[in-house]
Amino acid sequence: MSEATELADLYSAVEESARLLDVPYAQDKVRSVLTAYEKVLATTPIAFRMGTGRRYSNDVDWRFPVPTDGVDPYTTALAHGLLEPTDHPIASLFLEVAERCKTTFYGVDFGAASGLKKLYLAFPADDMEPLSTLLDLPSMPRSVAENYDFFVRHGMDGRQMPMFSMDYRHRTVNLYFNALSADMLTPQSIRSIFRDLELPEPSERLLRLSERAFGFYATLGWDSPKIERSAFSILVKDPAELPVPMEPEIEKFLAGIRRRATDDKFLYYVAVSSSGEEVYKFQSYYQFQPWLNPMLQSDSSPA
């Protein structure tokens, strides 16, 4: 299959994913993203993700990694008009993290309805970053340092960060943690996390799912000292392996979405907002590459 045919097939799959969720398909925005990073699309893994709840049900996200030996994805996004220049600290943060940390690849996240959303930096699976590395970066939200004690209390202060991301639409960052110990995932420990976040008591469904988690991530921003969202991530080969039934809308989407991946992976997330709302998300692959496997092991996979 030619690269042109593969790219046309990808455009079609993204449009189809929007139709399955009954969300708008922003053809021009999608085309702008895929044109900007067109050179890597034939050989890179390509994932899709959707979720429940108000925040996640109005779009379907697509994401792919890009190599670190070319132009960084933030500069590319500016050059192609995918992001507007701004004097907000988020404009400097990608390059600050890239200069401070060793990275294995970058990543791009875009919505079928909304265009470019996030950029990622992935750290080596065998040499992940400690959170302390990022605390003193000039453009990092103060809320990250202000919540450092929370991460220490819950065992996430070591070299456990496989990935860091910036959401340019909401002006937030995501901190990802892996290599979680079993002690961190007991119902008692999860309830302790919820108490520290001043959240309502977690549901039994959330407790059952979080016991299977390999990762945790937290969303923080510049406008609030609070952790805005947190999530636990579970890796399974088959959705039937989940300890709870999957949401009907996710089942319907999985049954209809087109895939080309032969070595498929399935990531399931249970997320909680600062209001206490529990939402459920999944990620699977349209196109997969074996080199990504080390990042999808239980002790090193990003959410």
Side-chain angles (χ1 to χ4, degrees), residues 89-103:
I90 199 170
S92 305
L93 190 53
F94 185 96
L95 293 180
E96 289 178 6
V97 177
E99 290 172 357
R100 173 71 62 88
C101 304
K102 184 187 302 183
T103 56

Side-chain angles (χ1 to χ4, degrees), residues 178-197:
N178 284 349
L180 306 183
S181 70
D183 290 344
M184 295 168 58
L185 301 171
T186 65
Q188 181 179 0
S189 296
I190 302 304
R191 290 189 177 100
S192 176
I193 289 174
F194 271 55
R195 284 194 298 270
D196 274 5
L197 295 176

Side-chain angles (χ1 to χ4, degrees), residues 29 32 60 78 81 93 130 154 163 172 182 284:
K29 292 180 179 179
S32 295
V60 52
L78 287 177
L93 190 53
H154 297 288
M163 187 172 283
T172 57
S284 191

Side-chain angles (χ1 to χ4, degrees), residues 257-289:
I257 189 68
R258 190 191 319 177
R259 296 179 182 81
R260 291 171 51 197
T262 56
D263 184 9
D264 202 7
K265 304 291 180 182
F266 181 89
L267 288 164
Y268 191 82
Y269 310 89
V270 50
V272 187
S273 70
S274 57
S275 67
E277 179 191 18
E278 293 183 11
V279 298
Y280 302 90
K281 305 180 288 180
F282 86 93
Q283 176 179 306
S284 191
Y285 284 84
Y286 167 79
Q287 179 172 289
F288 194 80
Q289 295 291 338

Side-chain angles (χ1 to χ4, degrees), residues 221-251:
W222 283 264
D223 298 331
S224 170
K226 287 190 172 184
I227 293 176
E228 297 185 14
R229 281 176 307 284
S230 56
F232 297 91
S233 47
I234 303 102
L235 175 65
V236 293
K237 182 66 176 177
D238 184 340
E241 298 174 20
L242 290 169
V244 297
M246 198 160 49
E247 291 69 23
E249 57 268 48
I250 293 180
E251 285 188 325

Side-chain angles (χ1 to χ4, degrees), residues 11-292:
Y11 277 111
S12 176
V14 175
E15 181 177 10
E16 183 180 291
S17 71
R19 185 168 59 251
L20 284 169
L21 284 183
D22 194 26
V23 300
Y25 172 58
Q27 182 177 9
D28 290 344
K29 292 180 179 179
V30 170
R31 184 172 298 279
S32 295
V33 172
L34 297 185
T35 298
Y37 304 101
E38 183 174 356
K39 291 182 179 179
V40 306
L41 294 175
T43 57
T44 194
I46 301 173
F48 50 82
R49 188 176 73 165
M50 58 84 66
T52 64
R54 183 183 305 174
R55 181 182 177 88
Y56 301 102
S57 60
N58 60 357
D59 207 350
V60 52
D61 290 348
W62 288 74
R63 57 182 54 177
F64 52 87
V66 299
T68 60
D69 57 358
V71 177
D72 71 82
Y74 180 73
T75 302
T76 299
L78 287 177
H80 287 263
L82 306 178
L83 294 174
E84 294 292 334
T86 176
D87 57 3
H88 188 277
I90 199 170
S92 305
L93 190 53
F94 185 96
L95 293 180
E96 289 178 6
V97 177
E99 290 172 357
R100 173 71 62 88
C101 304
K102 184 187 302 183
T103 56
T104 54
F105 58 83
Y106 302 138
V108 176
D109 189 332
F110 70 96
S114 54
L116 191 140
K117 290 184 172 182
K118 297 179 185 176
L119 297 178
Y120 298 79
L121 301 100
F123 310 128
D126 59 354
D127 191 20
M128 291 185 282
E129 288 292 335
L131 175 58
S132 57
T133 304
L134 305 178
L135 295 182
D136 63 346
L137 292 176
S139 301
M140 187 66 63
R142 289 183 57 190
S143 57
V144 174
E146 290 170 352
N147 285 281
Y148 182 65
D149 287 347
F150 165 83
F151 296 112
V152 171
R153 280 196 302 277
H154 297 288
M156 291 175 272
D157 59 326
R159 193 172 290 276
Q160 298 165 287
M161 292 189 64
M163 187 172 283
F164 176 83
S165 73
M166 289 134 288
D167 184 325
Y168 292 91
R169 292 181 172 273
H170 296 99
R171 291 185 171 175
T172 57
V173 301
N174 278 356
L175 308 175
Y176 300 86
F177 300 91
N178 284 349
L180 306 183
S181 70
D183 290 344
M184 295 168 58
L185 301 171
T186 65
Q188 181 179 0
S189 296
I190 302 304
R191 290 189 177 100
S192 176
I193 289 174
F194 271 55
R195 284 194 298 270
D196 274 5
L197 295 176
E198 300 180 348
L199 294 172
E201 182 77 6
S203 68
E204 288 301 315
R205 178 185 179 89
L206 185 146
L207 291 174
R208 291 184 65 191
L209 286 165
S210 59
E211 285 185 305
R212 296 276 301 273
F214 66 83
F216 174 87
Y217 74 84
T219 302
L220 304 97
W222 283 264
D223 298 331
S224 170
K226 287 190 172 184
I227 293 176
E228 297 185 14
R229 281 176 307 284
S230 56
F232 297 91
S233 47
I234 303 102
L235 175 65
V236 293
K237 182 66 176 177
D238 184 340
E241 298 174 20
L242 290 169
V244 297
M246 198 160 49
E247 291 69 23
E249 57 268 48
I250 293 180
E251 285 188 325
K252 179 181 177 182
F253 187 81
L254 275 176
I257 189 68
R258 190 191 319 177
R259 296 179 182 81
R260 291 171 51 197
T262 56
D263 184 9
D264 202 7
K265 304 291 180 182
F266 181 89
L267 288 164
Y268 191 82
Y269 310 89
V270 50
V272 187
S273 70
S274 57
S275 67
E277 179 191 18
E278 293 183 11
V279 298
Y280 302 90
K281 305 180 288 180
F282 86 93
Q283 176 179 306
S284 191
Y285 284 84
Y286 167 79
Q287 179 172 289
F288 194 80
Q289 295 291 338
W291 61 261
L292 193 62

